[in-house]
Amino acid sequence: QDTAPANKPEPLDAKKAPEAVPAPDTATVEQPEEADKAASKESQAPPASGRRGTANADYLSGMGLPDNFIELLKKKFNSIAALEKDDGIIDSKEFRDFLDVEESLFMDRIFNIFDVDNDGSVTKPEFLKVIAYLSPYGPHEEKVNLSFKMWDLQGDSVISKDELHKLMVSSASSSSLLVSPEQMQQLIDATFALADVDQNGEITLTEYHKLVKAYPNMISNMTLDIESKLKEA
């Protein structure tokens, strides 16, 4: 009996992969008070240079960021940080309230991208750095690293099939995507067949970089038109 061949799924399809968090859409005047933790971290950054390409902090140097872009980012951070408590940091509740979303594994991973030091809150330097990476100015390598961090639920520098499955299910649920268990498993198997070169059941960062090189659209959602979003009223 002849049957039509099944379409071969592409690995980590960008439509099924978790999308990067959109930029905030309101701006307010910066607030003078910050929590001790935020002030301590931010004090490590050098003052603004006032020139394009050497903007405001070592972690943003060399990216060619316009100073007005960084100022918009700073104002945006302050507007989010003051939603729940005006303490100069963004906690997970403020993050979810700003996006008007419910708590989920998917949102936890989005927040984790911003929480660079994994202390449960986002400071201004962390916010500026990640948003800059997600902008068109961001280095490609850093976009890949951030994407990998999304999938690495255990934080052990490898991606397992279980991790991939958990986050894809959460992502599909959050975006109301209708994906059958069979389709989900096909996508996972196709991804590992291509990426897991040594066939040990895990995808390393090096293997992930090679996979993205072969399928660059995998991380298309890691580049956002941040500047125009920041200027929206």
Side-chain angles (χ1 to χ4, degrees):
Q1 180 178 342
D2 295 330
T3 57
N7 292 330
K8 183 178 181 180
E10 293 186 3
L12 294 178
D13 191 294
K15 295 180 180 178
K16 298 182 178 64
E19 296 183 353
V21 63
D25 56 8
T26 58
T28 60
V29 178
E30 286 196 39
Q31 303 298 325
E33 296 183 1
E34 294 189 357
D36 290 341
K37 179 176 66 172
S40 174
K41 289 186 178 182
E42 191 160 3
S43 67
Q44 300 172 8
S49 67
R51 298 190 303 274
R52 182 184 178 97
T54 56
N56 294 357
D58 284 343
Y59 48 79
L60 297 181
S61 65
M63 293 177 63
L65 299 175
D67 283 342
N68 64 334
F69 176 64
I70 294 179
E71 289 306 311
L72 286 172
L73 287 178
K74 292 168 70 175
K75 290 180 179 180
K76 197 62 63 176
F77 172 86
N78 288 325
S79 71
I80 305 172
L83 285 176
E84 185 72 16
K85 180 181 178 182
D86 190 6
D87 54 5
I89 59 175
I90 299 174
D91 61 30
S92 58
K93 186 177 188 305
E94 286 173 323
F95 188 73
R96 294 193 308 272
D97 287 348
F98 175 77
L99 295 175
D100 193 24
V101 295
E102 298 295 327
E103 185 174 5
S104 67
L105 176 61
F106 173 62
M107 290 312 304
D108 286 346
R109 299 313 298 163
I110 294 291
F111 184 78
N112 186 248
I113 277 189
F114 284 83
D115 182 16
V116 177
D117 59 4
N118 298 312
D119 67 349
S121 62
V122 175
T123 63
K124 186 178 292 184
E126 290 173 329
F127 178 81
L128 292 178
K129 182 175 182 178
V130 177
I131 286 292
Y133 283 162
L134 293 175
S135 77
Y137 305 105
H140 174 77
E141 182 176 359
E142 294 299 337
K143 293 178 185 292
V144 179
N145 292 341
L146 289 174
S147 177
F148 181 85
K149 185 178 180 181
M150 281 277 296
W151 299 101
D152 181 15
L153 298 179
Q154 298 297 323
D156 55 1
S157 301
V158 294
I159 301 171
S160 67
K161 285 189 175 183
D162 184 58
E163 288 173 320
L164 196 59
H165 181 268
K166 285 180 179 177
L167 192 52
M168 287 182 64
V169 168
S170 179
S171 176
S173 176
S174 299
S175 59
S176 301
L177 269 174
L178 297 178
V179 183
S180 70
E182 292 77 15
Q183 290 173 320
M184 188 78 71
Q185 191 59 52
Q186 283 181 334
L187 188 60
I188 293 171
D189 290 343
T191 299
F192 269 76
L194 290 168
D196 185 16
V197 178
D198 56 10
Q199 298 183 349
N200 68 344
E202 297 174 331
I203 299 173
T204 65
L205 179 58
T206 298
E207 290 173 331
Y208 189 76
H209 270 269
K210 291 179 180 178
L211 183 65
V212 172
K213 185 176 181 180
Y215 296 89
N217 285 339
M218 282 174 52
I219 62 165
S220 61
N221 55 1
M222 301 301 289
T223 299
L224 305 178
D225 187 6
I226 301 292
E227 196 162 7
S228 65
K229 291 179 181 296
L230 291 177
K231 292 179 180 178
E232 291 177 358

